Amino acid sequence: MSQPIGSSTLRTLPFEKPLVIQCQMCKVILGDSSHFVCTDYELQTLTLRGVSSCEVMSRQPTTLEAESLLGLDNEEWKEWVGCCYIPVSCKECGGSVARQWISCPPSKELMRDMISFHIGAICSYE
């Protein structure tokens, strides 16, 4: 059903039915599956190429450092050390909902410059 691309956890097949993506906290609509790029099950992200009601929180990228991975059991994150992202928040409630990756590991290059939502920060409906 899903197709791995460059990584065993990256899936690029679109959803069978259209989905609307909402902020988990305030329920404002952030995007929909017509802009789907990929999901990454290990990283727990849903990546879209177009979004609404989102705000890039800073123009200064953050570099993911090894120290920030302490306590994470996920081996998948280790390839992200040294990569840069810009935090993205919900315009309605200000909650942190995603990252816009400025640089990515080679196996996740299709996520670069897209918005990768944290699965725990969003909800959806068909």
Side-chain angles (χ1 to χ4, degrees):
M1 181 178 241
S2 295
Q3 169 184 332
I5 300 290
S7 167
S8 63
T9 66
L10 196 64
R11 307 290 185 221
T12 58
L13 287 179
F15 298 102
E16 291 180 15
K17 296 182 180 180
L19 291 178
V20 175
I21 311 303
Q22 297 176 283
C23 174
Q24 180 70 31
M25 290 174 39
C26 70
K27 306 300 187 229
V28 71
I29 294 173
L30 302 173
D32 64 64
S33 60
S34 68
H35 297 285
F36 177 80
V37 175
C38 65
T39 56
D40 192 306
Y41 296 110
E42 282 292 319
L43 301 179
Q44 295 292 295
T45 59
L46 167 67
T47 302
L48 302 178
R49 73 175 52 87
V51 298
S52 61
S53 299
C54 288
E55 181 173 46
V56 175
M57 296 172 62
S58 167
R59 293 286 177 210
Q60 183 68 23
T62 300
T63 302
L64 192 61
E65 298 180 13
E67 293 79 30
S68 64
L69 299 176
L70 294 177
L72 290 179
D73 295 331
N74 194 335
E75 289 292 316
E76 195 72 23
W77 278 103
K78 289 186 179 180
E79 69 178 332
W80 289 88
V81 172
C83 294
C84 298
Y85 66 91
I86 299 174
V88 177
S89 65
C90 172
K91 278 186 181 177
E92 186 69 27
C93 69
S96 176
V97 293
R99 292 177 174 169
Q100 181 179 24
W101 290 100
I102 305 305
S103 60
C104 297
S107 65
K108 312 289 176 137
E109 189 62 25
L110 74 145
M111 294 170 71
R112 186 170 52 85
D113 297 327
M114 305 298 164
I115 304 296
S116 293
F117 289 98
H118 313 294
I119 296 297
I122 59 173
C123 56
S124 63
Y125 66 89
E126 295 179 352

